């Protein structure tokens, strides 16, 4: 099977049952994406597929051979952090860090959704939502943080969203 | 997870032709893979329908919308035509799951997602839906999230979807392609089945029947609302939800359409609710009568008894909002 991950080609022959998350971690050595629950309930495994955020634990690798997959490793490197990664560091948007790769990938996908004008459950007006803190929390609710770094995560995302606007 | 054969379909016709014994279609996979990991679902073969050309939303001449079965929940919720004319559907979708899950979850898969009953998920426990004939652990067990309407002595599970509740209030039609090449149009009102003695059979779909589209009729008149009550503010299934569409003319309720989540084995709708409303001037007495009609046959199983007064209050609150009547 052929995969494109962070712009690089990979040829791997995983078992047909392999989730995209296990492919990344066990077959390609990209261990940034984390396994929290393996059932779509925590968001630690969030990656971007063709720019859209998804839970990599609830999809099969074999279904994504023609897609562009981006993981936390593809967003930036320790020497060259992406703006969102840098904002998480600056605002202390984590404690143990386990949920962080998923939070950051999710935040990237989420800001893209906001740019497309997508509303959320808390938007009063679904056509022209403004990215308030309440909106950030709702839109990030698919990422659970066991350390409860939520206020700082919201600070980091708000800063990057503001810089983008 | 048990292993399986895998085939990717490139057309709806090829998808139904690829069906053999023990075959399941896989779309977003967010429900099916969850259940396969726990060996609650053990298909011999998966037919991958995720790349079929069924991801468009099209306007029809009669003013309605035809939604491809593979339109992701997020895209459906954000479609400008849905936001403007079927806000109850956008609101229901956005109240469900998480941003990540909605990006993957498909329209067809959402309709067919299975119950969240704790015992259905616990393969160590008896469950008639998972293993017919073994008994129902929820009756007499933990049943806080389960049904109070439409239950049977064999099963009291709820259908967990938010989207399907809005679609039932909107009188959606499900369009399918059968293994023999025939197409069917099934009203959502006839799509789901009560549990009765066969809780493992949840819809009227035949084995190998593919949902290709969901049709919405021309936009309904009046105001629309979706209200969901759950254990946390986001990313949780409904305890009770209400999808409502209502119009008032000359001081009287001219039309009303209500469907309910969290109460029954299917998105619930009861003509008696609408009969109690249409033709009446909005008032709390009328709203109370509608709630009484909805819950006349409701039966609690202990820890879910609270759903009966909760449903009453949520329906009345929605009716006040929809009619502009102050509480
Ligand atoms: C943590 C979590 C929280 C969630 N919260 C909510 C919530 O609050 N509200 C809510 O409504 N939902 C919620 N969901 C459920 C989610 O909406 C469903 O998992 C999703 O809609 C299923 O769509 P899918 O495309 O991924 O289906 P799949 O998993 O691919 O398929 C589901 C079933 O449908 C069948 N199928 C799929 N497409 C077709 C088709 N076109 N024709 C025939 N059969 C088909 C499959 O064979 C399978 O049996 C939640 C899920 C998770 C994991
Ligand atoms: S309520 Fe239905 S799904 Fe739950 S244990 Fe009983 S039979 Fe199984
Ligand atoms: S590991 Fe995928 S959501 Fe928890
Ligand atoms: S930082 Fe520890 S789980 Fe989020």
């Amino acid at each position: 099977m052929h995969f494109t991950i962070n712009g690089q080609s990979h040829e791997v022959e995983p078992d047909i049952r392999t989730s995209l998350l296990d492919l990344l971690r066990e077959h390609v050595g990209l261990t940034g994406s984390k396994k929290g629950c393996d059932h779509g309930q925590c968001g630690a495994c969030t990656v971007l597929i063709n720019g859209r955020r998804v839970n990599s634990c609830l999809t099969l690798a074999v279904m994504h051979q023609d897609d562009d997959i981006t993981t936390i490793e593809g967003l930036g490197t320790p020497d060259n952090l992406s703006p969102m990664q840098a904002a998480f560091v600056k605002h202390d948007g984590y404690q143990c860090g386990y949920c962080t790769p998923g939070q950051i990938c999710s935040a990237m996908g989420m800001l893209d959704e906001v740019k497309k004008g997508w509303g959320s459950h808390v938007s009063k007006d679904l056509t022209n939502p403004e990215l308030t803190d309440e909106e950030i929390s709702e839109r990030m609710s698919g990422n659970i943080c066991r350390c409860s770094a939520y206020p700082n995560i919201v600070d980091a995302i708000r800063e990057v969203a503001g810089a983008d606007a | 997870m048990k292993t399986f054969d895998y085939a990717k379909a490139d057309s709806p016709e090829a998808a139904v032709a690829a069906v053999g014994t023990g075959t399941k279609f896989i779309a977003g996979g967010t429900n099916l893979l969850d259940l396969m990991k726990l060996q609650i679902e053990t298909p011999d073969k998966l037919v991958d329908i995720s790349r079929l050309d069924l991801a468009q939303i099209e306007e029809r001449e009669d003013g309605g919308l035809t939604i491809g079965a593979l339109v992701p929940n997020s895209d459906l919720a954000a479609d400008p035509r849905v936001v403007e004319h079927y806000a109850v559907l956008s609101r229901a979708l956005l109240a469900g799951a998480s941003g990540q899950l909605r990006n993957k979850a498909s329209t067809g898969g959402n309709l067919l997602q299975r119950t969240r009953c704790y015992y259905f998920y616990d393969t160590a426990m008896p469950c008639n839906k998972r293993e017919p004939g073994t008994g129902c652990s929820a009756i007499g067990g933990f049943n806080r999230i389960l049904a109070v309407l439409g239950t049977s002595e064999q099963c009291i599970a709820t259908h967990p979807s938010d989207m399907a509740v809005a679609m039932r209030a909107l009188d959606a039609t499900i369009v399918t392609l059968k293994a023999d090449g025939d197409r069917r149009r099934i009203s959502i009102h006839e799509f789901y089945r009560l549990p009765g003695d066969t809780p493992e059979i949840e819809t009227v779909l035949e084995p190998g029947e593919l949902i290709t589209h969901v049709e919405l009729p021309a936009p309904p008149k009046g105001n629309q609302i979706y209200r969901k009550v759950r254990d946390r503010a986001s990313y949780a299934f409904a305890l009770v939800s209400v999808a409502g569409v209502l119009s008032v003319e000359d001081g009287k309720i001219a039309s009303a359409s209500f469907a309910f989540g969290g109460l029954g084995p299917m998105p619930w709708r009861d003509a008696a609710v609408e009969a109690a409303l249409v033709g009446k001037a909005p008032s709390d007495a009328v709203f109370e009568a509608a709630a009484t009609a909805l819950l006349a046959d409701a039966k609690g199983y202990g820890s879910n008894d609270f759903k009966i007064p909760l449903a009453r209050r949520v329906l009345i609150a929605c009716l006040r909002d929809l009619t502009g009547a102050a509480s």
Side-chain angles (χ1 to χ4, degrees):
Chain A
M1 296 183 208
H2 176 259
F3 298 95
T4 309
I5 305 166
N6 302 328
Q8 292 192 325
S9 283
H10 295 267
E11 298 290 333
V12 235
E13 287 308 318
D15 185 283
I16 194 75
R17 292 168 284 187
T18 310
S19 68
L20 179 58
L21 176 61
D22 287 343
L23 178 93
L24 294 168
R25 291 182 55 84
E26 314 291 336
H27 297 264
V28 184
L30 293 170
T31 53
S33 308
K34 296 292 186 273
K35 186 181 284 189
C37 64
D38 217 20
H39 287 279
Q41 299 174 0
C42 76
C45 64
T46 305
V47 301
L48 300 168
I49 300 183
N50 304 326
R52 290 165 68 112
R53 54 177 173 159
V54 302
N55 306 90
S56 62
C57 70
L58 279 192
T59 190
L60 293 172
V62 63
M63 297 173 77
H64 295 286
Q65 296 182 79
D66 305 317
D67 294 322
D68 259 325
I69 298 156
T70 307
T71 68
I72 188 72
E73 292 92 342
L75 293 178
T77 61
D79 304 328
N80 187 16
L81 295 177
S82 72
M84 187 67 77
Q85 289 169 319
F88 267 68
V89 175
K90 174 176 162 193
H91 291 280
D92 251 340
Y94 49 83
Q95 289 178 39
C96 75
Y98 197 80
C99 72
T100 314
Q103 297 277 3
I104 290 175
C105 288
S106 183
M108 297 306 293
M110 183 275 280
L111 291 183
D112 215 50
E113 293 164 7
V114 174
K115 273 199 201 128
K116 287 192 273 189
W118 289 9
S120 87
H121 173 62
V122 298
S123 308
K124 298 268 173 314
D125 177 357
L126 286 180
T127 52
N128 196 13
E130 199 192 323
L131 195 62
T132 58
D133 285 3
E134 189 194 12
E135 285 274 0
I136 295 177
S137 299
E138 161 60 26
R139 289 166 189 267
M140 292 295 295
S141 73
N143 292 83
I144 309 288
C145 176
R146 175 68 181 79
C147 305
S148 214
Y150 299 113
N152 298 359
I153 293 170
V154 171
D155 288 347
I157 295 173
R158 187 198 310 111
E159 179 173 297
V160 176
D164 266 15
Chain B
M1 194 187 294
K2 293 236 167 91
T3 197
F4 48 83
D5 292 332
Y6 169 86
K8 189 170 189 164
D10 51 19
S11 69
E13 293 71 24
V16 294
V19 172
T21 48
T23 302
K24 285 259 171 195
F25 298 120
I26 183 162
T30 60
N31 190 230
L32 185 55
L33 287 171
D34 190 13
L35 295 169
M36 284 171 65
K37 287 182 186 195
L38 300 164
Q39 299 199 12
I40 295 162
E41 299 266 21
T42 52
D44 298 319
K45 180 174 183 181
L46 288 185
V47 174
D48 179 355
I49 59 169
S50 65
R51 302 305 157 110
L52 296 186
D53 189 17
L54 293 173
Q56 289 87 28
I57 305 173
E58 276 154 14
E59 277 163 67
R60 291 192 315 274
E61 281 192 356
D62 65 0
L65 286 183
T66 298
I67 303 160
L70 288 164
V71 173
N73 287 178
S74 350
D75 299 68
L76 184 56
D79 185 276
R81 295 159 294 188
V82 177
V83 168
E84 188 178 345
H85 300 299
Y86 307 94
V88 61
L89 178 57
S90 286
R91 291 286 177 189
L93 284 158
L94 292 171
S98 66
Q100 291 95 311
L101 287 161
R102 292 192 295 269
N103 276 339
K104 265 262 158 206
S106 66
T107 305
N110 192 317
L111 288 171
L112 296 177
Q113 63 175 297
R114 307 203 66 193
T115 187
R116 294 278 159 173
C117 171
Y118 321 112
Y119 303 103
F120 178 70
Y121 267 81
D122 183 349
T123 49
M125 298 294 287
C127 167
N128 286 326
K129 193 187 269 302
R130 183 168 31 75
E131 264 183 86
T134 54
C136 172
S137 302
I139 299 174
F142 292 99
N143 50 43
R144 186 168 179 278
I145 62 171
L146 299 182
V148 295
L149 289 168
T151 55
S152 74
E153 277 168 30
Q154 269 61 49
C155 181
I156 62 170
T158 42
H159 191 275
S161 172
D162 291 294
M163 180 196 82
V165 176
M167 285 187 171
R168 185 134 198 221
L170 291 168
D171 300 312
T173 299
I174 290 135
V175 186
T176 70
L177 180 65
K178 290 208 280 188
D180 61 9
D182 275 3
R183 297 198 147 270
R184 282 215 275 177
R185 299 178 77 255
I186 310 165
S187 159
I188 193 165
H189 309 309
E190 259 109 62
F191 184 71
Y192 293 104
R193 293 183 25 141
L194 289 172
D197 291 333
T198 51
E200 71 281 11
I201 305 173
E202 292 164 4
T203 69
V204 299
L205 288 183
E206 293 171 13
E209 190 167 1
L210 178 76
I211 300 176
T212 58
H213 300 90
V214 176
E215 294 178 354
L216 298 180
K221 275 200 207 147
N223 297 328
Q224 303 184 20
I225 196 169
Y226 189 76
R227 187 165 292 175
K228 175 173 178 179
V229 180
R230 44 186 157 173
D231 279 327
R232 58 183 184 194
S234 189
Y235 203 13
F237 287 93
L239 291 168
V240 172
S241 72
V242 176
V245 182
L246 180 144
S247 69
V248 178
E249 274 166 35
D250 303 328
K252 290 199 173 132
I253 298 172
S255 61
S257 154
F258 282 85
F260 303 85
L263 297 181
M266 59 174 80
W268 198 255
R269 188 155 165 188
D270 187 339
V273 174
E274 289 146 32
L277 294 167
V278 173
K280 311 263 169 48
S283 74
D284 272 357
V286 168
F287 303 161
E288 293 278 357
T292 301
L294 169 68
L295 297 161
D297 297 327
K299 174 169 159 46
Y301 289 85
S303 30
N304 69 354
D305 292 350
F306 75 97
K307 284 192 175 184
I308 299 170
L310 181 60
R312 163 175 290 275
R313 291 193 197 113
V314 181
L315 173 58
I316 292 171
C318 286
L319 284 164
R320 285 177 182 153
D321 272 9
L322 283 166
T323 57
S327 53

